Amino acid sequence: MTRVLVPSGALGLGYDREALDRGIAARPDIIAIDGGSTDSGPHYLGTGTSKYSRASTRIEWAGLMEARARAGCPLVIGTAGTCGADSAVDWLVDITREIAAERGEAVKVAVLKSGQIAGDVAAAWQAGRVTPLEVAPEVDATTFAGCTNIVALAGAEQVQAALATGADIVIAGRTTDTAIISALPLQNGDHAGGAWHGAKIGECGALCATNPQSGVILIEFDADGFTVHPMADGARATPHTVSAHMLYENSDPFILYEPGGHLDVTGAGYTALDDTRVRVEGSVWHPSDRYTVKLEGARQAGFQVVSLVTVRDAHYVANIDRWVADIAAKCRAKAEARLGTDDFGIELRVIGRDATLGALEHAAGTAHEVGVLAIVTAPDAALAGEIAKMLNPYLLHYPLTAEEEVPTFAFPFSPPEMSRGMVYEFCLNHVMTLDHPMDAFRLDVVEVG
């Protein structure tokens, strides 16, 4: 049996310290926590930085380092620093070094890096070893060199290699969400289907329980399956909350693809052992005949300036599509004529109606007030600023027709133009075939403190 303690869905979200103490008392074999994902968009991978504050990360990581020392087991984090880029891994290693020095302890740290050299990935693409996933963007020989960061998603094998060093702490770059949880149960010979399924259920901590913000859960893996046990007072796992998590961030609620194979939970059974624990058996792991890792890459997409205007006049709210379309066309024509370029983008997004889902929105209803978010993107900051300023008078005073009185709308800020600086976009959604799981990864061991 292998006991995995998951303190939270991600480092930086916080965790229940009393629940963590209960988890430590249950004698876990490993403490595993995620550090991030692509959920927050391409900026973090593009810049190689974390979305979470350093102060919050430091406090929470110090608490987990102390918990690891009490438990006498390894502590592992995947996708360190939100994006898992090498610079984000180094950032967390530096924080670890500071904490260890303050605690007066020597800690052995395995550092697993997932960053890729653009030329190596391009060569793999030329050799036919990089293939697109569904709805992947088109790539050519220049795409890889244009990325500011490329990472490969490590699986259980790479995390196992880090654990095999005997490290107290494993700080990993980009990993699959499940890899850090499944690695030790698989290494210990627990049920393979249960290891991957339980890892998927536990990836976000107590999101699989009735008190999802409580964070801490303990998962027990064995030869037949796994058991989920939330640690927070009043939190309960039920067959519904546990089975439902296969819907989370998954296109198929029964199939989960990982490096080296895929999980099938079609035949899984979920049984309530008591008021808080759920037992799962029947999951099946299917090994693949080739080992592939997913690639993520981000590149610069230009400089961006945004403006926000609020529209409350019922006539304009009712005709908002006509209004924003006319403004976008008029401003684009003016900018092209006066600046001599068409290399820019203008987007007017209606807030309060369908800005979240866009064309997928199906809810009907009439708003009494909307916001219009204007987004200007251009190759350089000066051009983006110029176009945003040309847009300003339209957003403030533009009438629907030439015969109407000139309206006035509301800018929440002065000036309304807000520079976002360089923005980034994802440009890879591919998998790369490896001859050996460690071929695309680097593992080092350092002593800190």
Side-chain angles (χ1 to χ4, degrees), residues 184-414:
L184 190 59
L186 289 168
Q187 183 174 288
N188 289 346
D190 294 323
H191 190 273
W196 284 110
H197 191 182
K200 171 61 180 174
I201 300 303
E203 63 173 340
C204 289
L207 205 63
C208 64
T210 58
N211 184 2
Q213 294 187 354
S214 58
V216 188
I217 62 168
L218 184 75
I219 309 176
E220 295 180 343
F221 299 90
D222 55 44
D224 300 307
F226 65 96
T227 301
V228 180
H229 189 185
M231 293 288 101
D233 188 26
R236 297 182 301 113
T238 71
H240 171 76
T241 63
V242 172
S243 62
H245 199 72
M246 280 300 296
L247 291 165
Y248 180 69
E249 297 181 336
N250 215 17
S251 60
D252 187 322
F254 300 107
I255 305 296
L256 178 69
Y257 289 94
E258 292 285 337
H262 73 273
L263 170 70
D264 186 346
V265 304
T266 305
Y270 304 81
T271 305
L273 297 182
D274 50 37
D275 288 342
T276 61
R277 297 179 301 154
V278 168
R279 175 71 181 170
V280 183
E281 295 182 4
S283 316
V284 180
W285 173 253
H286 297 279
S288 174
D289 58 358
R290 66 190 185 112
Y291 194 89
T292 60
V293 291
K294 183 172 181 276
L295 296 174
E296 294 170 351
R299 64 187 174 194
Q300 295 179 344
F303 290 83
Q304 203 166 83
V305 177
V306 298
S307 300
L308 179 65
V309 63
T310 57
V311 178
R312 199 175 190 280
D313 185 294
H315 176 53
Y316 284 84
V317 171
N319 293 278
I320 197 68
D321 287 328
R322 280 178 52 204
W323 190 70
V324 298
D326 202 18
I327 285 175
K330 291 286 198 318
C331 188
R332 168 164 282 282
K334 178 184 285 188
E336 289 179 2
R338 296 185 178 183
L339 299 173
T341 180
D342 62 0
D343 189 12
F344 61 87
I346 297 176
E347 179 185 0
L348 297 179
R349 192 175 299 175
V350 180
I351 308 295
R353 189 193 58 183
D354 59 3
T356 303
L357 293 179
L360 297 176
E361 182 57 70
H362 60 82
T366 303
H368 76 275
E369 178 182 72
V370 296
V372 176
L373 181 66
I375 306 171
V376 176
T377 308
D380 64 77
L383 180 59
E386 278 288 288
I387 296 167
K389 288 188 174 184
M390 288 183 182
L391 192 56
N392 182 308
Y394 292 103
L395 298 176
L396 184 61
H397 287 306
Y398 191 72
L400 273 167
T401 65
E403 293 78 22
E404 295 182 40
E405 295 178 351
V406 174
T408 299
F409 304 106
F411 285 135
F413 312 107
S414 177

